[in-house]
């Protein structure tokens, strides 16, 4: 797995991404992986209160995937405890579901991954105000975070809730659910670990349906799965889920277990 070399890195502790084109790991597996292209964000700035909270608490609660990140996260040291299961949530958005589920999983370490800083700031604010101590955050692309910040069989669960559907056919290569991503997730899950995906986009659901059995290390369990070893009830309706329901979208959920 070859990683390109970049020289520019953000100031430590600021939560800012490195300048330039996002890093893309060459996995060399022959499988399909999402291609990032240029990362651009919808408009969004932090309020003064969000900025103050972010500056105060991000150094403790957050990490940034830099162009030079090559060390795996020491989860026990980061959370200040050992022996607890760890779940990575890719694309946490504004963290509505993350913050709602975390208190119900107090014995579980939750790491939320998101590129959009205002979304992370909202989650950080909810964590601080709610006294939630089992959530940490990483700013970066989820696939690269998995590949570069976590070792093999280091996670008990991975969650991908309402990923960008990239509805136009020419953009399907950017969808995060691909054969390569499923393989990468499988390598990072411990035996018995769980992958949980949810979407309300019909075409994306059809896309996932074609991939449920593509990765031999993952056993597709369908939905629901009463014996799942981690929480699978998302508890709240997220902003994007609510928009979909208002349009009469059908929510599809998928569960896999690492063999």
């Amino acid at each position: 797995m070859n990683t390109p070399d970049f020289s520019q890195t953000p100031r430590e502790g600021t939560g800012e991404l490195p300048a330039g084109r996002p890093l893309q790991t060459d996995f060399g597996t022959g499988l399909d992986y999402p291609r990032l292209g240029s990362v651009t964000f919808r408009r969004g700035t932090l309020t003064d209160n969000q900025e103050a909270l972010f500056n105060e608490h991000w150094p403790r609660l957050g990490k940034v995937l830099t162009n030079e990140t090559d060390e795996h996260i020491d989860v026990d040291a980061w959370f200040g405890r050992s022996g607890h299961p760890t779940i990575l949530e890719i694309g946490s958005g504004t963290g509505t579901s993350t913050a709602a589920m975390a208190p119900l999983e107090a014995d579980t370490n939750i790491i939320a991954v998101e590129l959009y800083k205002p979304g992370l700031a909202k989650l950080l604010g909810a964590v601080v105000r709610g006294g939630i101590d089992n959530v940490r955050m990483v700013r970066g692309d989820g696939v690269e975070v998995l590949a570069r910040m976590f070792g093999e069989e280091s996670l008990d669960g991975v969650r991908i809730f309402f990923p960008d559907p990239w509805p136009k056919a020419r953009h399907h290569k950017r969808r995060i659910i691909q054969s390569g991503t499923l393989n990468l997730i499988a390598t990072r899950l411990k035996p018995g670990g769980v992958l949980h995906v949810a979407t309300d986009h019909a075409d994306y659901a059809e896309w996932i349906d074609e991939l449920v059995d593509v990765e031999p290390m993952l056993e597709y369990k369908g939905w629901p799965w009463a014996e799942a070893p981690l929480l699978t009830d998302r508890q709240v309706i997220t902003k994007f889920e609510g928009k979909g329901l208002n349009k009469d979208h059908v929510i599809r959920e998928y569960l896999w277990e690492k063999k």
Side-chain angles (χ1 to χ4, degrees), residues 13 57-64 78 124 136-139:
H57 296 282
W58 180 260
R60 175 176 64 90
L61 298 176
K63 298 182 183 293
V64 176
W78 199 13
L124 183 145
R136 301 291 185 270
M137 289 153 273
V138 177
R139 190 175 185 199

Side-chain angles (χ1 to χ4, degrees), residues 7 24 27 41 51 94 97 116 137 153 165 237 243 256:
S7 58
Q24 290 268 256
F27 292 95
F41 299 111
E51 192 77 51
T94 58
S97 182
Y116 186 53
M137 289 153 273
E153 297 190 351
I237 295 176
K243 287 181 178 179
W256 291 262

